[in-house]
Amino acid sequence: MGVEQKLGNMGAVTTTLEQAVAWSRTNAMWPMLFGLACCAIEMMSAQAAHYDMSRFGMELMRPSPRQSDLMIVAGRVTRKMAPVLRRLYDQMPEPKWVISMGDCASCGGVFNNYAVVQGVDEIVPVDVYVAGCPPRPEALIHGVLTLYEKVKLMKFSEVKK
Amino acid sequence: MPDIQEITIDDLKHLVSERAIQGETVLLNMGPQHPSTHGVLRLLLELDGEIVVNCIPDIGFLHTGIEKNMEAKTYQKAEVMTDRLDYLNTVGNNLAYTLAVEKLVDLDVPVRAQAIRVILVELQRIASHLVWLGTSALDLAAMSMFLYCFRERESILDIFELCSGQRMMTTYIRPGGLWRDVPVEFEKAVRHILKTFPRRMDEYEALLTRNPLMLDRTYSIGKLTGEECLSFGVTGPMLRASGIQWDLRKDRPYSGYDQYDFDVPTRTEGDVYARYLVRIEEMRQSLRIVQQALDKLPIGPVRSNNFKFVPPPRSEIGVSMEALIHHFKLWTEGFNAPQGAVYSAVESPRGELGVYLESDGGPKPYRVHWRTPSFDNLQSLPLMAKGVLVADLIAIIGSVDIVLGDVDR
Amino acid sequence: MDKKLQPILEKLEKEIGATVSEYRGDASLVVPAEKVVEACQQVKGLGFELLSAMTAVDYWPQETPRFHVIYQFSSISRNMVLTLRVPLAGVNPSLSTVSHLYRNANWRERELWDMFGIKFNGHPDLRRILMPADWEGHPLRKDYPLGYEEPQFTFNFDEINLRKPYAKE
Amino acid sequence: MLLEYAAIAAFVLVTILIGFIAIGLGTIFGPKHPSAKKEMPYESGMNPIGPGTRRMPVRFYLIAVLFILFDIETIFFLPWALVFRQLGLFGLVEMFLFIAILLVGYFYAWKKGAFEWE
């Protein structure tokens, strides 16, 4: 972050600031509206009234990468879609995270052939992998909560320069 | 990882009009990541202000090579691939594939299994129409419809989970019948839906059908005549909304559909509003079919006892030697289908879903081609999109009801 | 085979010299490659308004008719179904287009060009439709490898981890 | 006399301050890793075709002007609504006169087809 490039490690001051920043991030992390295949339908059910991902701060699914902090890769990534996905990841503002939802995004899943990229971590750095084909909405929400744990532990000093 | 190809105007010269080349009209990508393309569809729009002069669809962003992958799997294992094709109609895909395999190996299916198949496929049709209603109403800014429709869909997915343990990718329909019989609570759960769903449908109709906002956005927009539909190979609700009554459940019945009486809703205007009315009426007809199928649900086995193709039940394996041999052979090597080619089609919520299955006598399908309805329905989009406002184009895409897994296979 | 199809098959057999065969209750005609457009015109005239499906099969080791292009027609007015099979040679297979008769043949022919490498002369816009534009090879041919990649399990995690191209930030 | 305006001045000051604080914190503390790809215009994941700055059709400008016209009309309702009670009948008639004048402009624009897109 900008502040730690300036402040560095100032003990109590930065730790409370870290907690404040982590609190603000985990309570309003907007995912990018970006569904590829079957997992997108389960992501829609997770966003809808019954499972309601908005309880965890994911109120809105922002269509454009400019206003989203989290990219949920929901579905199989094909060879033709891979450069587009990388372009969208590059166009997201800086504190950004990636959840690879479902087996097809995590490791190619059922499709081990010429058309599918075997795991989206060959294209974008992934923070949390959610298993399942498609993962139940609760599994996706569990993945989101694990991501929140990871965000909470982020220290200023070790941020990517 | 290759970068995105630079597309310049001159290699689209044969597609776009003269004005685009001089730079008068704008070439805009309604690209793979767009909230209202219902998946990773890319439309290259040639815009003159808000008017769409030309619309060039570019598909293939979800091409998973399912047909090639199915050639490397045995007949039973290949069925797992079929769920991922049209992921809103997974039980319907299983049925299409299973009917093709049964036609190829000439396998009989017990009556109870056929009735349960009809119930599940009709419930899946309602669930698929609900996702269509929810998302296309969301595109027309009716936010609450999305939440209502997905609330109903949960009750239907619970039934699939009841039978097969999986909400969407059930693989519950197997060649020769079903994976196993339905649990005891199945009838009560389906009765609950039959009781509550019609009232919910009236809520949706009250919200949308005579809503002036909806009428302004959908009435006489994206018109298609019957002949244009047929020349584009459009089937399903879009064809029936243009006045041609062609429903495979009625005209070429399969899996016992001729026992149930239901009528096929058709309209003549052929615009977005007519497709909306046809799909809403289809949901009610599906309820009628489920009602009749559930009332006359026959008692009996759910799997054919031709153990050359159907794995024998666990109880018999310990007892008889042949059952053990069949069990072992089927699960290791699969059954050898006779040489030949078969085409069998079912009525999916989007149209005629056909499977061309060819076998060379081995345990693996030699060639599986999926005739998917969205592939042809999407071809009529450029015709409907000419001279239309961009906002209307979004309503038209919603009414075509495409699923990109269906289009790209 | 249903009775209504009988006169149609005789008519096509005489005029186009197609050979009729029947399997599991469905009739299919084998038509020589140069007579495709004429056969499709005849079939369309006989009431088959809908070209349901159009696909191809690759009998790879067999070189002479290596490809079979299959047209699947269905007639809505008279409720009939008919299959047309066209054998094609293996080296640069080509066929004349029927997209002027059935407009949904446009994308289907583009798919056959993309997946099998069968050229369609007279097609308005023969580009790849499913694969990326700069893709070499035609995936659905039998001699095209499936492209299997070894999945990462616990026992071979480390070796694959070394050569797996992880994305840099 | 000046004191009455102090309230409005404070109101304007606070709103501007909030605006600057929100944006300012973002720019100061936010991490900045600009890259060529991030600067490119976002066109749903693809490369934009043709030059960025294109000739905009004049109809957009027409719609913008009409919007501003009627938007400001609604802004004038706000202060009127506050003192609506004290003004009594005079205020009511005055406001309806104001609306009537603008309605004339509205029907003129409608007649001339400014709302149709062609």
Side-chain angles (χ1 to χ4, degrees):
Chain A
M1 262 74 56
V3 68
E4 84 303 326
Q5 284 149 353
K6 301 185 180 63
L7 294 182
N9 194 337
M10 284 170 61
V13 172
T14 43
T15 48
T16 47
L17 196 60
E18 271 158 15
Q19 274 145 16
V21 167
W23 168 78
S24 70
R25 280 200 187 124
T26 51
N27 278 345
M29 185 179 285
W30 286 355
M32 178 157 63
L33 183 72
F34 177 56
L36 291 162
C38 354
C39 288
I41 310 294
E42 283 296 82
M43 186 168 73
M44 282 150 68
S45 335
Q47 184 75 16
H50 195 69
Y51 293 98
D52 199 1
M53 228 157 39
S54 324
R55 292 173 284 160
F56 305 99
M58 296 208 162
E59 191 51 49
L60 278 170
M61 282 265 199
R62 298 304 296 169
S64 94
R66 304 296 193 201
Q67 296 136 4
S68 49
D69 319 320
L70 167 71
M71 171 197 262
I72 301 182
V73 182
R76 45 202 186 235
V77 183
T78 59
R79 300 274 178 223
K80 197 172 182 181
M81 193 63 189
V84 176
L85 192 116
R86 179 68 208 189
R87 164 70 50 82
L88 288 172
Y89 178 76
D90 290 339
Q91 284 179 342
M92 283 166 72
E94 202 31 60
K96 53 191 173 187
W97 293 274
V98 174
I99 287 185
S100 132
M101 175 182 180
D103 298 349
C104 295
S106 308
C107 68
V110 176
F111 306 108
N112 201 336
N113 56 24
Y114 62 92
V116 172
V117 175
Q118 300 301 311
V120 86
D121 37 25
E122 289 174 15
I123 307 166
V124 285
V126 174
D127 292 300
V128 171
Y129 297 89
V130 179
C133 179
R136 285 184 62 91
E138 295 98 335
L140 175 63
I141 292 173
H142 175 64
V144 163
L145 295 181
T146 356
L147 178 72
Y148 283 173
E149 298 315 318
K150 183 171 184 179
V151 167
K152 286 196 178 94
L153 298 179
M154 249 168 98
K155 289 278 173 296
F156 282 162
S157 49
E158 90 235 341
V159 161
K160 328 180 201 37
K161 281 293 164 299
Chain B
M1 211 261 302
D3 202 353
I4 302 174
Q5 298 90 24
E6 276 297 328
I7 305 167
T8 56
I9 292 189
D10 49 22
D11 51 26
L12 295 169
K13 240 199 309 307
H14 58 292
L15 290 168
V16 289
S17 69
E18 248 331 287
R19 297 165 65 201
I21 296 159
Q22 286 119 18
E24 197 185 317
T25 53
V26 173
L27 275 175
L28 186 71
N29 275 308
M30 195 168 162
Q33 196 259 343
H34 191 277
S36 70
T37 50
H38 293 257
V40 280
L41 161 73
R42 172 178 167 242
L43 298 177
L44 183 60
L45 298 180
E46 192 197 326
L47 296 176
D48 169 11
E50 278 288 310
I51 303 280
V52 177
V53 174
N54 208 344
C55 159
I56 306 154
D58 172 14
I59 57 173
F61 285 95
L62 201 61
H63 171 62
T64 340
I66 286 183
E67 294 178 356
K68 177 94 180 171
N69 221 334
M70 283 175 97
E71 285 166 12
K73 297 201 183 290
T74 65
Y75 281 99
Q76 277 134 335
K77 290 188 182 127
E79 192 184 345
V80 175
M81 291 271 164
T82 62
D83 293 298
R84 276 83 188 169
L85 263 164
D86 175 357
Y87 37 79
L88 286 181
N89 176 32
T90 49
V91 180
N93 295 344
N94 290 348
L95 182 64
Y97 177 76
T98 315
L99 288 178
V101 169
E102 278 155 9
K103 189 173 178 182
L104 184 67
V105 299
D106 210 359
L107 199 55
D108 65 309
V109 179
V111 185
R112 180 178 171 85
Q114 288 188 2
I116 293 174
R117 281 181 178 180
V118 163
I119 294 175
L120 291 180
V121 163
E122 287 312 316
L123 284 177
Q124 180 75 72
R125 188 185 312 276
I126 296 174
S128 161
H129 281 332
L130 281 174
V131 174
W132 157 78
L133 185 60
T135 45
S136 61
L138 182 69
D139 286 349
L140 303 180
M143 287 287 290
S144 43
M145 275 315 289
F146 175 80
L147 300 173
Y148 291 150
C149 291
F150 270 80
R151 173 192 61 185
E152 313 316 324
R153 191 166 181 273
E154 290 303 326
S155 50
I156 293 178
L157 292 185
D158 290 347
I159 292 185
F160 290 149
E161 195 179 2
L162 205 63
C163 304
S164 67
Q166 242 280 13
R167 282 159 57 94
M168 283 168 63
M169 312 294 175
T170 51
T171 325
Y172 185 62
I173 298 177
R174 300 278 170 88
L178 300 173
W179 170 42
R180 56 180 185 150
D181 206 340
V182 283
V184 183
E185 307 84 4
F186 176 75
E187 171 143 12
K188 195 162 65 66
V190 179
R191 287 261 184 254
H192 174 70
I193 285 189
L194 290 176
K195 189 161 51 64
T196 57
F197 202 73
R199 271 206 321 278
R200 299 280 162 75
M201 288 291 301
D202 303 339
E203 275 172 30
Y204 304 155
E205 296 242 33
L207 200 63
L208 281 181
T209 306
R210 277 191 306 281
N211 179 339
L213 293 175
M214 168 86 168
L215 281 168
D216 288 352
R217 286 295 300 274
T218 54
Y219 196 72
S220 83
I221 282 167
K223 280 179 108 59
L224 265 182
T225 66
E227 292 66 34
E228 278 164 357
C229 275
L230 283 179
S231 80
F232 272 114
V234 168
T235 51
M238 276 180 77
L239 183 64
R240 292 191 283 274
S242 306
I244 293 179
Q245 177 151 14
W246 173 254
D247 187 333
L248 290 173
R249 296 174 295 174
K250 218 37 150 179
D251 300 315
R252 307 185 67 78
Y254 50 89
S255 179
Y257 262 107
D258 35 19
Q259 305 151 12
Y260 313 112
D261 76 332
F262 61 97
D263 44 16
V264 176
T266 57
R267 305 281 308 185
T268 51
E269 300 89 354
D271 55 7
V272 171
Y273 191 62
R275 291 175 204 134
Y276 161 80
L277 291 177
V278 162
R279 288 195 178 102
I280 291 281
E281 187 50 31
E282 251 181 35
M283 283 206 245
R284 294 185 194 279
Q285 294 308 320
S286 295
L287 279 177
R288 266 179 70 190
I289 297 175
V290 170
Q291 177 83 39
Q292 293 164 41
L294 199 59
D295 296 346
K296 298 183 288 190
L297 194 59
I299 311 293
V302 281
R303 275 217 298 234
S304 120
N305 44 30
N306 174 350
F307 291 149
K308 259 161 55 56
F309 300 107
V310 174
R314 308 281 308 169
S315 54
E316 255 179 64
I317 290 177
V319 174
S320 87
M321 192 53 200
E322 300 79 19
L324 184 65
I325 297 168
H326 284 309
H327 176 86
F328 183 74
K329 180 172 182 313
L330 280 177
W331 287 121
T332 51
E333 196 193 85
F335 52 84
N336 289 352
Q339 177 138 19
V342 150
Y343 179 79
S344 98
V346 294
E347 182 69 27
S348 96
R350 275 150 210 80
E352 174 189 339
L353 174 65
V355 177
Y356 171 82
L357 191 63
E358 169 149 1
S359 123
D360 62 350
K364 295 185 169 130
Y366 190 76
R367 169 77 172 110
V368 187
H369 172 66
W370 284 85
R371 189 272 179 204
T372 49
S374 303
F375 188 79
D376 283 338
N377 296 356
L378 191 59
Q379 283 189 43
S380 60
L381 188 64
L383 178 70
M384 287 192 280
K386 269 205 187 350
V388 158
L389 290 175
V390 174
D392 296 339
L393 177 65
I394 287 173
I396 292 170
I397 295 176
S399 79
V400 173
D401 184 15
I402 41 168
V403 173
L404 262 295
D406 213 19
V407 173
D408 297 345
R409 292 182 298 276
Chain C
M1 192 183 355
D2 58 9
K3 301 301 155 283
K4 296 174 287 197
L5 219 51
Q6 214 63 38
I8 293 173
L9 293 178
E10 270 103 29
K11 184 169 183 304
L12 285 174
E13 218 170 350
K14 280 200 306 305
E15 270 151 28
I16 303 170
T19 57
V20 179
S21 69
E22 197 237 338
Y23 184 73
R24 292 280 191 265
D26 287 343
S28 72
L29 284 157
V30 179
V31 172
E34 53 286 353
K35 287 229 170 33
V36 162
V37 182
E38 190 200 333
C40 285
Q41 260 149 2
Q42 294 257 351
V43 161
K44 184 161 180 133
L46 291 166
F48 287 88
E49 304 93 351
L50 184 66
L51 169 68
S52 287
M54 182 173 166
T55 179
V57 186
D58 178 10
Y59 303 101
W60 172 48
Q62 175 195 348
E63 253 319 305
T64 45
R66 173 176 172 181
F67 295 102
H68 267 215
V69 178
I70 293 134
Y71 297 79
Q72 180 77 28
F73 296 100
S74 34
S75 154
I76 291 185
S77 43
R78 291 156 61 190
N79 198 347
M80 293 181 299
V81 169
L82 178 69
T83 316
L84 219 65
R85 296 181 78 100
V86 180
L88 283 179
V91 57
N92 60 47
S94 77
L95 204 56
S96 48
T97 177
V98 288
S99 51
H100 51 284
L101 293 170
Y102 295 95
R103 285 168 69 162
N104 67 334
N106 187 325
W107 276 16
R108 295 212 170 265
E109 283 165 358
R110 274 180 66 188
E111 189 200 348
L112 288 188
W113 155 246
D114 188 356
M115 285 293 147
F116 285 93
I118 300 171
K119 260 205 174 339
F120 283 87
N121 327 327
H123 190 281
D125 161 31
L126 202 60
R127 285 178 295 146
R128 279 194 183 272
I129 188 167
L130 290 177
M131 298 310 289
D134 55 2
W135 190 268
E136 304 92 28
H138 301 289
L140 269 180
R141 285 188 173 191
K142 287 290 180 187
D143 51 7
Y144 189 94
L146 178 60
Y148 178 82
E149 241 177 70
E150 203 192 337
Q152 226 172 349
F153 291 114
T154 43
F155 56 86
N156 61 5
F157 189 85
D158 307 328
E159 305 94 28
I160 295 179
N161 220 5
L162 297 178
R163 51 181 164 80
K164 187 173 170 74
Y166 280 107
K168 268 96 35 229
E169 174 36 54
Chain D
M1 228 301 265
L2 206 58
L3 205 58
E4 288 133 21
Y5 289 106
I8 297 171
F11 172 73
V12 165
L13 200 68
V14 166
T15 43
I16 290 172
L17 221 65
I18 287 175
F20 275 106
I21 286 172
I23 298 169
L25 279 182
T27 45
I28 294 168
F29 292 126
K32 276 176 268 311
H33 295 285
S35 74
K37 289 219 168 54
K38 197 182 275 187
E39 306 309 327
M40 277 188 73
Y42 158 70
E43 202 167 305
S44 34
M46 298 300 285
N47 286 338
I49 301 168
T53 55
R54 300 181 182 97
R55 285 180 28 237
M56 274 300 158
V58 76
R59 294 181 205 87
F60 285 119
Y61 172 73
L62 187 68
I63 288 184
V65 162
L66 282 175
F67 168 72
I68 289 172
L69 191 76
F70 293 110
D71 199 22
I72 290 178
E73 178 193 357
T74 43
I75 290 175
F76 282 125
F77 286 162
L78 296 179
W80 169 62
L82 283 177
V83 291
F84 173 68
R85 284 251 176 277
Q86 294 86 341
L87 290 181
L89 190 63
F90 162 72
L92 197 64
V93 168
E94 195 56 45
M95 185 44 82
F96 276 120
L97 261 177
F98 173 66
I99 294 174
I101 293 163
L102 275 158
L103 271 185
V104 167
Y106 180 74
F107 283 121
Y108 174 74
W110 196 346
K111 190 62 58 209
K112 296 296 275 184
F115 297 133
E116 299 310 320
W117 177 256
E118 272 71 26

